[in-house]
Amino acid sequence: PERIKIWSGKGIKTILNFRGETNQGSYFLEKEACETFGIELINFRLFATKLPSRESILELENVFKKIKSPFLMHCKSGSDRAGLGSALYFIYILRSPITEAQKQLSIKFLHIGGWTAGILDFMLMRYREEFEDTGISFKNWVAEIYEPGQLTKEFNSFRNSNPWLKVPR
């Protein structure tokens, strides 16, 4: 709540919560503080270790287009879900090349690809490959080609074939 008060003073109009609505105390404190300080709270659930549905990725563009600025987006640590959200903002709103968008999922922002959260990098890498081959737009790739189940299988196979990326047991 104290941080939300500070952000309110800096002009933040909206908070985009990638953890989604939960029954945890932190969510209720955030919701109450946003109401107190007149900040719109948008709950949009993403996962750090699971690919979003086709519909979620497409819906997020509409959220970004309608959101009141300036806004803040967050998840728990700010590296995986917020990184993906930032990458999609770069693609949808800033119209950045995929190579720039991918940088939002980097060690600079404490995102460590290769492990389970590396599936988010993998998705953007697959799009980048398809874009470089065909020139397809991200939105069309999501609508026509993106298949979370298949990409998850490919990522798990990739990760399991590389001893440096195997999750310790």
Side-chain angles (χ1 to χ4, degrees):
E2 192 60 34
R3 288 183 185 167
I4 292 172
K5 180 180 178 181
I6 292 167
W7 292 326
S8 172
K10 294 182 183 227
I12 294 294
K13 292 183 171 69
T14 311
I15 293 178
L16 179 53
N17 168 24
F18 285 126
R19 293 176 3 172
E21 188 173 337
T22 69
N23 62 0
Q24 296 176 341
S26 60
Y27 169 73
F28 293 113
L29 288 170
E30 179 178 26
K31 182 179 177 188
E32 180 181 50
C34 284
E35 289 169 0
T36 299
F37 297 108
I39 295 175
E40 181 181 10
L41 177 62
I42 298 174
N43 298 298
F44 193 96
R45 186 177 297 275
L46 291 176
F47 299 92
T49 60
K50 179 180 158 189
L51 291 175
S53 69
R54 174 179 285 140
E55 295 75 22
S56 286
I57 294 175
L58 295 172
E59 181 184 348
L60 193 53
E61 179 184 22
N62 293 326
V63 170
F64 286 142
K65 285 182 175 179
K66 293 177 183 175
I67 203 165
K68 289 183 262 175
S69 295
F71 74 96
L72 173 114
M73 63 177 95
H74 78 86
C75 53
K76 182 180 175 197
S77 301
S79 58
D80 302 320
R81 292 172 281 186
L84 177 61
S86 296
L88 295 177
Y89 186 84
F90 269 62
I91 291 168
Y92 283 138
I93 304 304
L94 301 179
R95 303 281 186 230
S96 298
I98 183 61
T99 52
E100 287 302 307
Q102 285 178 291
K103 292 176 184 177
Q104 298 304 300
L105 285 167
S106 70
I107 192 66
K108 177 180 179 181
F109 302 111
L110 303 178
H111 172 78
I112 301 173
W115 298 82
T116 53
I119 195 164
L120 306 176
D121 306 90
F122 192 77
M123 175 189 76
L124 294 178
M125 180 187 74
R126 283 291 187 239
Y127 165 66
R128 181 177 173 175
E129 291 171 346
E130 190 70 30
F131 171 77
E132 288 171 351
D133 287 347
T134 68
I136 192 169
S137 72
F138 182 74
K139 193 171 179 176
N140 286 343
W141 179 78
V142 171
E144 299 167 12
I145 296 171
Y146 176 70
E147 181 54 53
Q150 181 59 36
L151 281 179
T152 300
K153 287 178 190 175
E154 289 176 26
F155 173 72
N156 289 334
S157 177
F158 168 76
R159 192 179 68 186
N160 291 332
S161 68
N162 188 328
W164 294 102
L165 300 178
K166 286 187 181 176
V167 177
R169 295 178 192 230

